[in-house]
Amino acid sequence: MKKLREGGFLQIYEERDKELVKCTLRLNNFRYSLAAKLKKDKLKFCLIEGQKGWQFSFYEDVVQPQWENLREMVIKTYGVKREHRDFPNLNDVPLNDEGGYLTDTWDLSDRLIILTIQLFEVKDCCTNQMVEYSCCTLLIQPK
């Protein structure tokens, strides 16, 4: 918690009984949500998630720039050596698949880093219709 506060993370929320920490962060002027699962005060995994949205142009206007930002930051930190694919067409992203569409995987000696695109349905409270949302995620899991 001390590292998060000193690191400038915003709106830090801790669920001690679930060993979960959630907060908001800004990376190169993009806003993301961070969720970290701890086990006996050690990081089990960290998930950085971009904004979620459903509007017609949201995928190209918001998801793609956030995804590019995360990709560039991880490449800058860990290098270009990775398994990778280009940003997919929305039709290529599996709907409601928890794994999503994997675009980049860094398999490092001390951690696994996976960048994905997610597409999932949410029931709209006003219309009672299912609406498709999209976002990008970055999973960091220590080995």
Side-chain angles (χ1 to χ4, degrees):
M1 293 298 288
K2 183 180 176 185
K3 286 181 182 179
L4 289 174
R5 286 188 190 99
E6 290 173 354
F9 290 82
L10 309 170
Q11 302 168 338
I12 302 169
Y13 174 73
E14 184 177 13
E15 294 181 34
R16 290 184 185 199
D17 59 324
K18 296 180 182 176
E19 297 184 292
L20 225 127
V21 176
K22 296 179 181 180
C23 62
T24 302
L25 69 144
R26 285 204 175 276
L27 301 170
N28 297 332
N29 294 321
F30 289 99
R31 183 183 170 134
Y32 298 93
S33 298
L34 180 143
K37 176 71 174 170
L38 306 170
K39 196 72 167 181
K40 297 180 183 173
D41 290 329
K42 294 206 183 236
L43 183 66
K44 188 170 180 182
F45 71 84
C46 176
L47 182 70
I48 298 173
E49 185 175 68
Q51 290 179 287
K52 301 172 189 169
W54 59 268
Q55 297 87 352
F56 177 70
S57 63
F58 187 84
Y59 188 69
E60 290 85 15
D61 293 346
V62 178
V63 175
Q64 186 169 7
Q66 286 191 330
W67 172 84
E68 288 170 351
N69 182 54
L70 286 174
R71 184 184 231 190
E72 289 171 16
M73 291 185 68
V74 179
I75 287 173
K76 188 176 180 181
T77 304
Y78 296 106
V80 296
K81 187 177 178 187
R82 69 200 192 283
E83 292 182 31
H84 61 92
R85 299 190 272 186
D86 291 331
F87 189 77
N89 291 323
L90 188 56
N91 294 338
D92 294 332
V93 181
L95 181 63
N96 295 325
D97 183 335
E98 291 181 4
Y101 183 95
L102 275 64
T103 61
D104 297 79
T105 304
W106 288 262
D107 192 357
L108 307 169
S109 61
D110 64 339
R111 70 192 74 192
L112 179 63
I113 302 172
I114 300 172
L115 182 59
T116 70
I117 303 295
Q118 301 285 323
L119 181 63
F120 53 95
E121 292 177 310
V122 175
K123 189 177 233 180
D124 181 71
C125 62
C126 298
T127 64
N128 223 17
Q129 301 271 333
M130 296 302 281
V131 179
E132 291 180 4
Y133 278 72
S134 61
C135 72
C136 62
T137 64
L138 182 70
L139 174 70
I140 304 163
Q141 185 171 18
K143 290 184 176 178

